[in-house]
Amino acid sequence: MKYALIIRHGQTDSPAGIKGRQEYDLSDEGKRTIGLVATLIDYMQLQKSLVVTGPLRRAIDSGKIINTTDAPFVQMAEFDEIDVGDLVGYSGEVDLDEYDANAKKNHAETSAHAVSRAMKGLLKIKQKPGQAAIVVSHSFLMTLLYLQLQKAKGMPFMVPLNHGFGYLIDLDTMTIIAPFPNLDE
């Protein structure tokens, strides 16, 4: 089986609300949490044939912390956070249908476009050598992927995507096969 472990970047020093593609540094707590994720991956003996991040600094820095074995490190725009346009800083509930209906007005990327580019990224990873990729991405994009991909029997409809949390994707079947433990709590 070829798989990708997709993980949300560490916590940042940023104001509340939707961050979108705004740049923020990892907080000390974010570095600590991602360090715990790296230790857990090493403990579980998950083979890292590739570490992939989106282009934002918080994902790149998290990926560098996770890459304890000096696996090849690649930045892929396919795993950038969704471009939320004018909704940066918004802190209310986001209804996905409403978000998409207003995407053009808000100068935002649609969820369908974000999922399409992330799926292209997963297919690119599938073509690379090695069995396992660790992908560091962002909560909105990861949520959209989770909702789009098929899930193995017993997987919940949705999982919380706190910092350092994620899920495992079987790249041969594009099925989510397991959640990754939450280290924020």
Side-chain angles (χ1 to χ4, degrees):
M1 172 179 67
K2 187 162 189 156
Y3 63 89
L5 177 60
I6 188 163
I7 299 168
R8 184 176 180 201
H9 63 78
Q11 182 178 341
T12 61
D13 285 322
S14 63
I18 297 174
K19 279 106 180 114
R21 293 184 176 171
Q22 299 294 306
E23 284 284 15
Y24 296 102
D25 291 323
L26 292 178
S27 66
D28 290 341
E29 179 63 19
K31 292 174 188 174
R32 185 190 73 76
T33 301
I34 291 299
L36 291 172
V37 171
T39 300
L40 182 59
I41 291 169
D42 291 345
Y43 176 78
M44 295 168 62
Q45 298 181 341
L46 295 174
Q47 301 300 314
K48 292 179 265 190
S49 52
L50 182 67
V51 174
V52 178
T53 72
L56 293 176
R57 192 168 53 240
R58 58 190 180 263
I60 294 167
D61 291 347
S62 295
K64 288 178 181 176
I65 293 169
I66 285 172
N67 195 7
T68 60
T69 59
D70 293 324
F73 191 92
V74 179
Q75 290 177 41
M76 294 175 66
E78 289 89 342
F79 296 106
D80 198 356
E81 178 62 294
I82 188 168
D83 183 353
V84 297
D86 297 339
L87 294 176
V88 168
Y90 178 75
S91 59
E93 291 288 319
V94 176
D95 176 88
L96 196 52
D97 291 330
E98 185 179 320
Y99 171 87
D100 281 331
N102 294 308
K104 187 173 184 175
K105 178 181 83 172
N106 289 322
H107 306 100
E109 178 181 23
T110 65
S111 63
H113 183 267
V115 168
S116 175
R117 73 175 157 79
M119 291 298 290
K120 288 176 186 173
L122 290 174
L123 292 173
K124 283 182 183 179
I125 290 171
K126 184 178 176 181
Q127 301 306 314
K128 295 190 179 290
Q131 180 185 6
I134 310 297
V135 179
V136 181
S137 192
H138 306 271
S139 62
F140 199 171
L141 183 65
M142 290 175 67
T143 298
L144 294 174
L145 264 178
Y146 191 91
L147 293 171
Q148 180 69 32
L149 294 171
Q150 63 184 20
K151 291 154 203 67
K153 187 174 181 176
M155 291 295 297
F157 172 71
M158 192 59 219
V159 292
L161 292 172
N162 294 334
H163 299 284
F165 188 82
Y167 49 85
L168 195 62
I169 302 169
D170 178 335
L171 292 175
D172 295 324
T173 63
M174 290 300 178
T175 302
I176 297 171
I177 55 176
F180 196 62
N182 183 355
L183 300 176
D184 269 358
E185 297 174 354

